[in-house]
Each structure stands twice: as structure tokens, then as C-alpha cells.
Amino acid sequence: MANLKIPIILVNYKTYSEATGKKAVKLSKIAEDVSMETGVNVSVAPQLADIASVCDAVSIPVFAQHIDPIFPGSSTGHVLLESVKEAGAIGTLINHSERRLKLCDIEAIVARTRESNMISVVCTNNAAVSEAAAALQPDIVSLEPPELIGTGIPVSKSKPEVVTETVALVKHVNPDIVTLCGAGITKGDDVAAALKLGTMGVLVASGIVKAKDPRKVIMEFAEAINESLSDS
Amino acid sequence: MANLKIPIILVNYKTYSEATGKKAVKLSKIAEDVSMETGVNVSVAPQLADIASVCDAVSIPVFAQHIDPIFPGSSTGHVLLESVKEAGAIGTLINHSERRLKLCDIEAIVARTRESNMISVVCTNNAAVSEAAAALQPDIVSLEPPELIGTGIPVSKSKPEVVTETVALVKHVNPDIVTLCGAGITKGDDVAAALKLGTMGVLVASGIVKAKDPRKVIMEFAEAINESLSDS
Amino acid sequence: MANLKIPIILVNYKTYSEATGKKAVKLSKIAEDVSMETGVNVSVAPQLADIASVCDAVSIPVFAQHIDPIFPGSSTGHVLLESVKEAGAIGTLINHSERRLKLCDIEAIVARTRESNMISVVCTNNAAVSEAAAALQPDIVSLEPPELIGTGIPVSKSKPEVVTETVALVKHVNPDIVTLCGAGITKGDDVAAALKLGTMGVLVASGIVKAKDPRKVIMEFAEAINESLSDS
Amino acid sequence: MANLKIPIILVNYKTYSEATGKKAVKLSKIAEDVSMETGVNVSVAPQLADIASVCDAVSIPVFAQHIDPIFPGSSTGHVLLESVKEAGAIGTLINHSERRLKLCDIEAIVARTRESNMISVVCTNNAAVSEAAAALQPDIVSLEPPELIGTGIPVSKSKPEVVTETVALVKHVNPDIVTLCGAGITKGDDVAAALKLGTMGVLVASGIVKAKDPRKVIMEFAEAINESLSDS
């Protein structure tokens, strides 16, 4: 994971209209602008069909939202690592709460990304699952309590003890694994709180994608990160 | 389905290395060449991440291999109709044997494609399932007995009675629905046999994608179609 | 389906505490009492682990809630037709809204039940899916719009046109297939309305299982059926 | 897990005809005989519909082959912990290779069993997945490389290093978790080898269920355990 700067703001475009097709490219350019201006890593995870055009348009890190535990061959309708890599993605979300996977498939996908020098971000729903995910040796574990996703109630403020426990358990398994958190993150304050709890950034979706002014929100997040760094 | 010329040779790229990324574009150009030369509809179904670049490069019909029964929103890692449509796809495979779907989801996807003027190709494994699929009113039903896929034993020669029964059942439900067949199709003869049984073309994958000379095989298929048309 | 008397009240015990273990047996005895008293077919679908003890205790028809599309062999944790049959079940629900199945699996299960002389009840969510299900030639199609399940808003009163269309489509495919409806059925009136729309009974769960006095509700349903029959 | 004696021979009946219905009861009585005669814990995992009758017939420990991550309520066709517990099961297999589960569901099921004083046996396919499973704090982790299941090539002899690594990783996470292994176990020697590698027993299916003389095989396994214990 030598090339991924942390802390990170990782923006999941989900299947939102506001981040589909040309709008995915436009939003990615905004993310890139803010990233260049602030020096903070703003990465994006567009839909599969948009990865290539986003990667053509920007130079910030681009992640897939999902890949399947398959090798090249007969897997119609599945997502091949080599395909998203050639399109320009440098990593992938795995096991997002809207795309939960079997344990053995998570292990197989993490192993695939490791061999292919892609960055693995395994999403988890609680501290116990985070520890289990860490045992698979991904690059990043991202805690997102599903009941908070899309609510605007920030995990970093409403469940700080779960974040702290997750950070500790993941670090205990392997101190090199980066922990992020997500769900309900909409303000710079929420990001600052996340860093204070020991995470190295946030996984965010509607808070940015569905914001009236996404640039303003990304900027607020990035500044919160820079302030946290200068405080510490 | 006013714009889709039949008979059709529909090439499923699956997740084959030979048809991923730049190779998907290259193979699509070959398909386009043969299509222009022979006047036969050669359509392609590349992987999701390749749809945009294939559509940029060629003007033959491009299909997705799969879409999910979702609307724009919170569906990380799923495939949104609007996304593949904006990338340039004009239709989608549904329920391929390597990506079987729930009955209610097939119905929802077919309804979604209908409202969005996209072409629906529902894959089926036998005559009874084909009749059920036809009841959902897709544009195309494509019979592919899974035990023959990738074998080189052509469905049109080894199971002609299943093809004939499928054509009859689908026509009985709705004479406007086009029936294709696939599995084991590797020669012009297999294509001719498929048309003789009442289908309007073939769904083919390894027979073309993994051929030593894909252009030659597509040409052979296209000529078989033209000969069948002139015979009748 | 020679042995199944219609109209039918089919009670789905789901995984309700009120109908688990000994309570499943107790409720089944109540169902049997009402059935004997009124002459109306009251059938029950308990959980898998309760089928044997329910079948030992009563002589009304007992259905499984689900079986898998498998044959005897290596399928740990799956439900084998032979297993529920030997336990005493005479049929099975298939594709309930809480256990949706792939189209090809529904076909395989219906074929399995047919060969084994078990009664197949395929659940569906709308008229198009009902027609597709009917094409698979099950004994019974049971329409249950999922948005109404457990609401107390009866399908037979709030969506009469969907019920009527379903009855017509199923009958058109095969007049021997029985159509039931379910969702929101809590009163005798709802049952009478269902019969008036052309169904031959109801699939019901919480309306009976979670009723304060299940006997009273089953009796009300049975009497509604007898009145409907004497009216016609 | 105070009540479960180790080492253990855990016999998975899968959906084998030889262990369905009355035959499940008969085989369980054989297992009980050998257990009483040798003093070795022989436990069985019959199909759901057979749990109650097996538990009525024998007093050896009985496990379910699977339970779902649900609470009492609206989950037609799913397996409720309370249901199998009332039928007499004292634990359950989880995530068997023929019934793989999502990571978050494994965690939820293990938590459910813990609260209900039932024994959790999480099946795994390799060392990394075993470590992840151990992080969820089940009572037992059972390693079964899927490629060896049903082959007669014993995991304890053909992949000793995977067994040893699994035992070490699980122990490192929590020394109280018992490790079993399975796949290809057909002889007393295979069982002895498994114990020598640090496991506390075997998970076995066809090796016993499909044996010409199951009593003889179980006896051989039990004697191998007693010899191993007296050697150490």
C-alpha cells in the first residue's frame, strides 16, 4: 500500500444518479481539485461502467465498489479484478453493507488483490467482524454500522466506543492495517472526531454525493483532516 | 426492439482474458468488420468496465452481461441500468447460467429494460423455464442447456428437440419474442442448424472468444446465416 | 393433487415463537379441530424441525415452508424433499417472499415435487410472475404482494384487480392450477372477498398465528368459505 | 461448552439417503452404542426434519447442520435457533463448505448461539479463514479443505501443515477454542494423525455414513482416539 497516502477521504458513489456517467466524472474532478488544493488524499469509488472514464479524467486514486472472487474464465456477469485494474482502479471495496460477501470469498478476494498489488478495503459492521476481517490481512478495514448509513448520525460521534474498540482490535491483529470508519459522516467535525478515535480517515457516500455543494463538503472534510494533523 | 436486426450473432465475452480491456475493444472491431462486410448483426456483451470503451470504438450493438433489479440509490457494488445505458449499452443479458437470478428479480429487470427502451435477453436452461421466461415478456429468450456450455457439443445438433420445443412454447406465449440458442456452438453448421430449428440466431462465447482466429469463426457464422436466409 | 380438498386455508407458521415447537403442535390441533367441525380444509406449514411432531399429532395436510432443488447427497444444511416427505409433509411452499428462489431452482423443485407426488405451492408477487410460475406447472400458485404481508390490509380488498388478473393468467396457462392469495388477510370478510375474485383459498400467517384467539379466526375463515360455497 | 466432552467424533449426515428419516435414527443409535462402549464422544448432525426424532431416540449430543441469523418472526423457510434447540439440538454447524455464509451472518449466528448456550462449530477452508473465524469466538473451528471432502484423501495426512498452522492460529486468537479437522477421513489412522497435529477430533461425513459397516468405522475412530489419549 506504499502509494496510498493517509489519512484518506474515500467517496463511495454507490448507484446514485448524482454520481453516474458524466456526473461521476464531474464529481471526480471536484474531488481531484480539492485534493490538489489541500494535499489531502481524496479517493473515489464510482460504478464499474464509469471506472475507465473517471480514470481517464483524473489522477486521484480510483477504487471499484466490488470485485468477485474469480479468475479469468467463464463467469458471465461477474466482476474480474483484471478488468477493473486495466480500467484504472488501484483497489476495491469488499463486503460493503450493501454487498455483503461470504467469509471464504472475502478471503479469496483479499488474497487476489494482494497478489495483484491492488488495495483492499474490507467493510465491516461491528468490532468482532472487524477483527475477523483484519485476520485476512487486507490493507484497510472500514467500519460502517449499517444502521447509521445514510442517516446523518455520525458513527464517530454516536458510537465512539465501537470505533475505538475496532481500531484497537485491528491494530492488535496487525498494526499495519489502516482503519477507516463511515456512516452518517456529513461534517468536518465528524471527520475530526473519526481521526481523534484513531482512524485514518472516512468512507463517505451520501454526505458528499448528495450534498448541495459537494466541493464545499469535501473541502470541509479535507480541512478537518489538515487541522487534525497539525494539532497532533 | 425496432432497432435490433435479426438474425443475430450475440457474442458473450464472459470474463475471458482474451476479451478483457483492450482485447475487448479489438475483438469488437473484428465483430464490426464482419458485420459490415456481411450485413449480419453481430452484437457483443463485454464486461461492465469495458462497455464504455467498446461503445466508443464500434457502432455494433453492445449488451451488458448483467444488470441488477435496482433503481438509482444506495446499492454499492450493484449494476444500475442507467449506468450501462449511459456507457452505451442498448440491452442486457439476464439470468445467464453463470449468473442465475431469482424469478422476481428477472421480472423486475425485464420491466426496467422495457420502460427504458433497452433490449432484454433472458437466458434459460430448458423448455419449461423458457416458457416461464417468455411470460415475463422480454424481447429475447436464449436457451442454453448449461451442461453443454463450453463443450463444443452444439445444442442445435445434440438437443434439437429441446430447441424446437422452446421455440414453440415461446411463440405460443408471444409470437413477437425472438428465440436464440447457445452452448457448444463453434461452427457455421451449428448456426445453420439453430436457424433451421426456428431460432433467430445464437448466443456464443468460447466458440468465438477463445478461437485461434475469431474473425474466421464470426465470418463462418455470418455466412451460415446469409445462406440460411437465401435458402428460405 | 387428487387428495387436496379445495378451497383451502393454508396457515404459514413462519418462524413465529407462537408457532414453534410444542406451540406448533398445539396450533395444529386447533386447526384440525376447526377443519373437522366445518369440513373446510385447514392446512399448516410449520418449521422444518416441527414437521414430524406436527404430523404425528394431527391428520390435516402439512406442508414444508421450503425445500431445496437437490437430490440425496452432499448438501449439508439444505432441505431434501425425501426428508420432509418422510417426516410427513404432503407438499411444500416454494419461493415465499421471505425465501425467494432462482427461476431455474423453482422449476427444478416443482419438477421434483411432481415426480414425488407432493403438492407444490409457488408463491408470487404480481400477475406477471404468477403467469411465469404457472408455466412451470405447479399445483398451486399463491399471489402475495410483499408490500401487504403482515399489514392487515387484505390483498383481496386493496388489490382486487391484481388478484383477478392473476386468476385469469394462471387459468389461461393451465385451468387445473389452483390460485390462492395472501397478505393482510385477517377477517372472514377478506377470505370471502378472495373467493369472490376467483381464488380457491388463502395463504395466511400472522392473521392466525399472532391472533389473540387463533381458533376464533380460523373458524371465521372457515365459515366464510362455507358461506361463499353455499352462495355460489 | 462445559458439557461437550473432547476429543469428539462429529458425524455430519448431510442429505445422504443412508442417514435420512428412520435411517438417521438407526445410525444415531449405532453412534450412541459405540460412544457408550468406548467412552468417546460421538456426536451427530442430522437433517433438520430428523433432529427431533434423533433426539428422542438417543442421548448423545445432536447438532443442527445450519441455522440462520434470524430471530423469531417473519422468516418463512429459514432455520430458527429456538426451533432446533427445542427439538433437542445442543449446537450447530455454521458455514459448512456446502452452505457457506456471509461473514456478518457467521458473526451473528455465533453470537446467537453464545447467548443461547448452544455450541457453535464454524467450518473453514484454510488457515487464514480459520483465524478470522476464531476472532468471532465460536466454541469450535473445524477446518475442511473443500477440495478433499468426500475424496478419501485425509486432510490430516495430505495437508498436515495446513492443520498445524490452523491449530496454531486459532490457539493464538483464543486458546479455549477447540480445533477439529475434516475431509477425507475414513480410517482410524487418519483420526490419530489429526490428533497428533493438535486437533481435538474430526468432522466426518461419507467416511461413516456411506461406509458398508458404519459401526465398525466409528469404533475404529473411537479406538484411535483412546489410543492417542493413552499415548500422550
Side-chain angles (χ1 to χ4, degrees):
Chain A
M1 218 181 60
N3 301 321
L4 196 74
K5 184 179 177 183
I6 51 172
I8 183 174
I9 299 165
L10 177 43
V11 190
N12 176 8
Y13 289 5
K14 298 195 173 182
T15 49
Y16 290 130
S17 328
E18 295 85 351
T20 295
K22 282 175 195 162
K23 292 180 179 169
V25 173
K26 195 179 161 195
L27 182 57
S28 303
K29 285 183 176 162
I30 293 171
E32 185 182 43
D33 281 354
V34 177
S35 182
M36 290 177 73
E37 201 172 323
T38 60
V40 171
N41 180 349
V42 185
S43 298
V44 298
Q47 291 169 68
L48 289 159
D50 295 329
I51 290 177
S53 52
V54 167
C55 290
D56 281 353
V58 300
S59 57
I60 53 176
V62 174
F63 288 76
Q65 292 178 15
H66 165 75
I67 65 171
D68 283 300
I70 56 163
F71 286 86
S74 296
S75 298
T76 302
H78 289 81
V79 186
L80 181 68
L81 179 144
E82 284 76 4
S83 170
V84 301
K85 189 177 184 182
E86 188 171 340
I90 59 124
T92 185
L93 301 186
I94 300 167
N95 193 45
H96 187 274
S97 75
E98 293 152 13
R99 195 75 165 87
R100 289 293 190 221
L101 297 174
K102 295 176 180 176
L103 169 56
C104 57
D105 288 343
I106 300 175
E107 193 271 338
I109 295 170
V110 170
R112 283 277 276 142
T113 57
R114 193 183 302 127
E115 291 155 14
S116 307
N117 291 315
M118 292 190 76
I119 296 169
S120 50
V121 183
V122 178
C123 300
T124 59
N125 54 314
N126 62 29
V129 168
S130 299
E131 186 185 356
L136 304 175
Q137 308 296 338
D139 298 302
I140 299 176
V141 168
S142 182
L143 170 75
E144 288 197 300
E147 66 277 14
L148 297 180
I149 292 179
T151 59
I153 304 170
V155 60
S156 52
K157 292 190 162 177
S158 68
K159 298 208 168 187
E161 74 291 351
V162 180
V163 178
T164 310
E165 189 189 356
T166 296
V167 168
L169 288 170
V170 169
K171 204 166 283 183
H172 181 255
V173 173
N174 180 348
D176 291 341
I177 299 172
V178 167
T179 302
L180 306 181
C181 69
I185 306 285
T186 60
K187 298 181 183 169
D189 243 25
D190 307 338
V191 177
L195 295 194
K196 213 165 281 176
L197 296 169
T199 72
M200 294 306 288
V202 293
L203 178 57
V204 58
S206 62
I208 286 175
V209 179
K210 294 183 99 66
K212 280 189 188 170
D213 186 346
R215 181 186 303 266
K216 198 178 143 198
V217 180
I218 305 177
M219 184 60 78
E220 193 183 317
F221 282 23
E223 285 170 349
I225 286 179
N226 279 336
E227 283 164 30
S228 298
L229 292 179
S230 64
D231 286 357
S232 61
Chain B
M1 217 180 60
N3 300 321
L4 196 74
K5 185 177 175 182
I6 53 172
I8 182 173
I9 299 166
L10 177 44
V11 190
N12 176 7
Y13 289 6
K14 298 195 173 183
T15 50
Y16 291 130
S17 327
E18 296 85 351
T20 295
K22 282 174 195 162
K23 291 179 180 170
V25 173
K26 195 179 160 194
L27 181 56
S28 303
K29 284 183 177 163
I30 293 172
E32 185 181 43
D33 282 353
V34 177
S35 181
M36 289 177 72
E37 202 172 321
T38 60
V40 171
N41 180 351
V42 185
S43 297
V44 298
Q47 290 169 70
L48 288 159
D50 295 328
I51 289 177
S53 52
V54 167
C55 291
D56 280 354
V58 300
S59 57
I60 53 176
V62 175
F63 289 75
Q65 292 178 14
H66 165 75
I67 64 171
D68 283 301
I70 56 164
F71 286 87
S74 296
S75 298
T76 301
H78 289 81
V79 186
L80 181 67
L81 181 143
E82 283 76 4
S83 170
V84 302
K85 189 176 184 182
E86 188 171 340
I90 60 124
T92 186
L93 302 185
I94 300 166
N95 193 46
H96 187 274
S97 75
E98 293 152 12
R99 194 76 165 88
R100 290 290 191 224
L101 298 174
K102 294 178 181 175
L103 169 56
C104 57
D105 288 342
I106 299 174
E107 193 271 338
I109 294 169
V110 170
R112 283 278 274 141
T113 56
R114 191 182 303 125
E115 290 156 16
S116 307
N117 290 315
M118 292 189 77
I119 296 170
S120 50
V121 183
V122 179
C123 300
T124 58
N125 54 314
N126 62 28
V129 167
S130 299
E131 186 184 357
L136 304 174
Q137 309 296 337
D139 297 301
I140 299 177
V141 168
S142 182
L143 170 74
E144 288 198 300
E147 65 277 14
L148 298 180
I149 292 179
T151 59
I153 304 169
V155 59
S156 52
K157 292 190 161 178
S158 68
K159 299 210 167 187
E161 74 291 352
V162 179
V163 178
T164 311
E165 190 189 356
T166 296
V167 169
L169 287 170
V170 170
K171 204 167 283 184
H172 180 254
V173 173
N174 181 347
D176 292 340
I177 299 173
V178 167
T179 302
L180 306 181
C181 69
I185 305 284
T186 60
K187 298 180 183 170
D189 243 27
D190 307 338
V191 178
L195 295 193
K196 213 165 281 176
L197 296 170
T199 72
M200 295 306 289
V202 292
L203 178 57
V204 58
S206 62
I208 285 175
V209 178
K210 293 183 100 65
K212 279 190 189 172
D213 186 346
R215 181 186 304 266
K216 199 179 140 197
V217 180
I218 305 178
M219 184 60 78
E220 192 182 318
F221 282 22
E223 285 170 351
I225 286 179
N226 278 337
E227 283 164 31
S228 298
L229 292 179
S230 65
D231 287 355
S232 62
Chain C
M1 218 180 60
N3 301 321
L4 196 74
K5 184 177 177 183
I6 52 172
I8 183 175
I9 300 165
L10 177 43
V11 190
N12 176 7
Y13 288 5
K14 297 194 172 182
T15 49
Y16 290 130
S17 328
E18 295 86 351
T20 295
K22 282 176 195 161
K23 291 180 180 170
V25 173
K26 194 179 160 194
L27 181 57
S28 303
K29 286 184 177 164
I30 293 171
E32 185 182 43
D33 281 353
V34 177
S35 181
M36 289 178 73
E37 201 172 323
T38 60
V40 171
N41 180 349
V42 184
S43 298
V44 297
Q47 292 168 68
L48 288 160
D50 295 329
I51 290 178
S53 52
V54 166
C55 290
D56 281 353
V58 300
S59 56
I60 52 176
V62 175
F63 288 76
Q65 292 178 14
H66 166 74
I67 64 171
D68 283 300
I70 56 163
F71 286 87
S74 296
S75 298
T76 301
H78 289 82
V79 186
L80 181 68
L81 180 144
E82 283 76 4
S83 171
V84 302
K85 190 176 183 182
E86 187 171 340
I90 59 124
T92 185
L93 301 186
I94 300 167
N95 193 46
H96 187 273
S97 75
E98 292 151 13
R99 195 74 165 87
R100 289 294 190 223
L101 297 174
K102 294 176 182 177
L103 169 56
C104 57
D105 288 343
I106 299 175
E107 193 271 338
I109 294 170
V110 170
R112 284 278 275 142
T113 56
R114 192 182 302 125
E115 291 155 14
S116 307
N117 290 316
M118 292 189 76
I119 296 169
S120 51
V121 183
V122 179
C123 300
T124 59
N125 55 313
N126 62 29
V129 168
S130 299
E131 186 184 356
L136 304 174
Q137 309 296 338
D139 298 301
I140 300 177
V141 168
S142 181
L143 170 75
E144 288 198 299
E147 66 276 15
L148 298 180
I149 293 178
T151 59
I153 304 170
V155 60
S156 52
K157 293 190 161 178
S158 68
K159 299 210 168 186
E161 74 292 350
V162 180
V163 178
T164 311
E165 190 189 356
T166 296
V167 168
L169 287 169
V170 170
K171 205 166 282 182
H172 181 254
V173 173
N174 180 348
D176 291 340
I177 299 173
V178 167
T179 302
L180 305 180
C181 69
I185 305 285
T186 59
K187 299 180 183 171
D189 242 26
D190 308 337
V191 177
L195 296 193
K196 212 165 281 176
L197 296 169
T199 71
M200 294 306 288
V202 293
L203 178 57
V204 58
S206 62
I208 285 175
V209 178
K210 294 183 99 64
K212 279 190 189 169
D213 185 347
R215 180 186 304 267
K216 197 179 143 197
V217 180
I218 306 176
M219 184 60 79
E220 192 183 317
F221 282 23
E223 285 170 349
I225 285 179
N226 279 337
E227 282 165 31
S228 298
L229 293 179
S230 66
D231 286 357
S232 61
Chain D
M1 217 180 58
N3 301 321
L4 196 75
K5 185 178 177 182
I6 53 173
I8 183 173
I9 298 164
L10 177 44
V11 190
N12 176 7
Y13 289 5
K14 298 194 172 183
T15 49
Y16 291 130
S17 326
E18 295 85 351
T20 295
K22 282 175 194 162
K23 292 179 179 169
V25 173
K26 194 178 160 195
L27 181 57
S28 304
K29 284 183 177 163
I30 293 171
E32 185 182 43
D33 281 353
V34 177
S35 182
M36 290 177 71
E37 202 172 322
T38 61
V40 170
N41 180 350
V42 185
S43 296
V44 298
Q47 291 169 68
L48 289 159
D50 295 329
I51 290 177
S53 52
V54 167
C55 290
D56 281 353
V58 300
S59 57
I60 54 176
V62 175
F63 289 76
Q65 292 178 13
H66 165 75
I67 65 171
D68 283 300
I70 56 164
F71 286 86
S74 296
S75 297
T76 301
H78 289 80
V79 186
L80 181 68
L81 180 144
E82 283 77 3
S83 170
V84 302
K85 189 176 184 182
E86 188 170 341
I90 60 123
T92 185
L93 301 186
I94 300 167
N95 193 45
H96 187 273
S97 74
E98 293 152 11
R99 194 74 166 87
R100 290 291 191 225
L101 296 174
K102 295 177 181 175
L103 169 56
C104 57
D105 288 343
I106 299 174
E107 193 271 338
I109 294 169
V110 170
R112 283 278 274 143
T113 56
R114 192 182 302 127
E115 291 156 15
S116 307
N117 290 315
M118 291 189 78
I119 296 170
S120 50
V121 183
V122 179
C123 300
T124 58
N125 54 315
N126 62 29
V129 168
S130 299
E131 186 184 355
L136 304 175
Q137 308 297 337
D139 298 302
I140 300 177
V141 168
S142 182
L143 170 75
E144 288 198 300
E147 65 278 14
L148 298 180
I149 293 179
T151 59
I153 304 169
V155 60
S156 52
K157 292 189 162 180
S158 67
K159 298 209 169 188
E161 74 291 351
V162 180
V163 179
T164 310
E165 190 189 356
T166 296
V167 169
L169 288 170
V170 170
K171 205 166 280 183
H172 181 255
V173 173
N174 181 349
D176 291 340
I177 299 173
V178 167
T179 302
L180 306 180
C181 69
I185 306 285
T186 60
K187 298 179 182 170
D189 244 24
D190 307 338
V191 177
L195 294 194
K196 213 165 280 175
L197 296 170
T199 72
M200 294 306 289
V202 292
L203 179 56
V204 58
S206 62
I208 286 175
V209 178
K210 294 183 98 66
K212 279 190 188 169
D213 185 346
R215 181 187 304 266
K216 198 179 142 196
V217 180
I218 305 177
M219 184 61 77
E220 192 183 317
F221 282 23
E223 286 169 350
I225 286 179
N226 278 337
E227 284 164 31
S228 298
L229 292 180
S230 64
D231 287 356
S232 60

